Amino acid sequence: MDFELLSNYPNFSLNKREIGYEIIDNENNMKLTLSLDDYNNVLAECKKHPLNKILKGTNLNVLDCTCGFSRDAAIIQALGNTVTSIEEDPLVMALVRDAKNRIKNNYIKSIYDKITFRLGNSIDFIRNTNERFDYLYFDFMFSVNKSSLPSKKEQFLKKIVSNNLIKNINIIKETIQRVSSKIIIKEYIHSSDYNYFDIINTYKEKTVKYHLLQGNYEH
């Protein structure tokens, strides 16, 4: 990993350890070493995940527009689909790629070997790609869940990744006009940031919900 990445993140530092790179939030003295093997339980139970109800069909081509630490991309891939996962933040993508190289679990490795990771801006990708996707997936992490403490991974993501609700809504607006695919938006259960849109259905869990929208582009 290129330590020069940190020049854009003054509140963070990195330590290279035997178990991988450890990112440190210097303001709060928090540390995290990303391990994708930690997703073993949720991937083993992926058939019970709400995304298995939302994604209709088999061998779907899915564009994950907000990779983050790649948990949801792995779930979608584990359900038997093809996933392209885009992350705009260079530090987050570097941590994911480092963690991918350290996977010990063969099942998880087989999943991550099939995911295509791209560093870049999702709306730029959508504007320029000729590839057709069955579903596009967004998890902007904008709202704060007041009912439970976020995980350490979520806390780090919220500190590293810049986020703006107006920008996110504009991305969804443009995406709807540019694709004929279905669009999934994940948000916390008590949030209503995306009620502006024409939602086909909402799938609820205890702490999050998934909105299903339809792209309006006609070939």
Side-chain angles (χ1 to χ4, degrees):
M1 187 183 299
D2 187 354
F3 278 80
E4 290 184 4
L5 274 174
L6 289 176
S7 61
N8 295 320
Y9 307 87
N11 296 325
F12 293 91
S13 57
L14 284 173
N15 281 336
K16 186 175 182 180
R17 305 177 61 200
E18 289 186 7
I19 60 172
Y21 284 92
E22 178 184 69
I23 184 169
I24 303 168
D25 176 356
N26 296 314
E27 286 186 330
N28 298 288
N29 195 29
M30 288 178 55
K31 301 178 181 180
L32 174 70
T33 299
L34 181 63
S35 171
L36 303 181
D37 289 297
D38 291 345
Y39 299 151
N40 183 53
N41 289 340
V42 69
L43 294 181
E45 299 290 327
C46 65
K47 295 291 186 182
K48 298 179 182 178
H49 196 278
L51 285 168
N52 193 37
K53 299 178 181 178
I54 300 169
L55 298 166
K56 305 296 185 183
T58 57
N59 300 317
L60 301 168
N61 195 18
V62 181
L63 180 64
D64 172 18
C65 299
T66 49
C67 176
F69 285 152
S70 72
R71 176 181 178 271
D72 290 345
I75 292 171
I76 295 169
Q77 182 71 55
L79 289 169
N81 305 300
T82 299
V83 180
T84 300
S85 190
I86 301 176
E87 175 54 51
E88 186 171 10
D89 188 272
L91 178 56
V92 171
M93 181 56 77
L95 291 169
V96 170
R97 285 176 170 161
D98 171 64
K100 179 176 179 288
N101 291 333
R102 295 184 283 102
I103 295 173
K104 296 179 180 179
N105 183 293
N106 288 334
Y107 170 62
I108 295 176
K109 185 178 187 305
S110 70
I111 291 171
Y112 273 90
D113 283 345
K114 296 173 186 174
I115 299 173
T116 300
F117 289 100
R118 292 183 178 272
L119 175 64
N121 179 279
S122 61
I123 194 64
D124 285 344
F125 181 87
I126 292 166
R127 288 168 182 161
N128 292 293
T129 186
N130 292 320
E131 188 172 358
R132 183 187 178 280
F133 294 92
D134 299 295
Y135 288 83
L136 283 77
Y137 180 78
F138 292 91
D139 174 9
F140 293 111
M141 306 175 301
F142 184 78
S143 299
V144 177
N145 179 12
K146 302 294 187 181
S147 62
S148 62
L149 291 174
S151 69
K152 185 182 287 189
K153 290 186 180 71
E154 290 173 327
Q155 292 179 60
F156 268 93
L157 281 173
K158 289 177 186 295
K159 288 177 176 291
I160 297 171
V161 179
S162 61
N163 222 325
N164 181 283
L165 178 58
I166 294 175
K167 176 183 175 182
N168 297 342
I169 288 174
N170 287 335
I171 287 172
I172 297 298
K173 285 181 180 178
E174 182 173 345
T175 299
I176 289 172
Q177 299 307 316
R178 287 188 175 273
V179 304
S180 57
S181 321
K182 287 192 166 56
I183 299 163
I184 302 168
I185 306 174
K186 178 182 176 182
E187 69 172 337
Y188 288 115
I189 192 70
H190 298 303
S191 171
S192 56
D193 292 337
Y194 302 101
N195 286 356
Y196 163 89
F197 295 103
D198 186 11
I199 296 171
I200 299 171
N201 202 353
T202 297
Y203 301 78
K204 296 181 179 181
E205 283 191 302
K206 183 178 180 180
T207 59
V208 298
K209 56 188 173 183
Y210 302 81
H211 302 302
L212 186 64
L213 288 70
Q214 176 64 58
N216 292 335
Y217 178 76
E218 296 182 3
H219 294 282

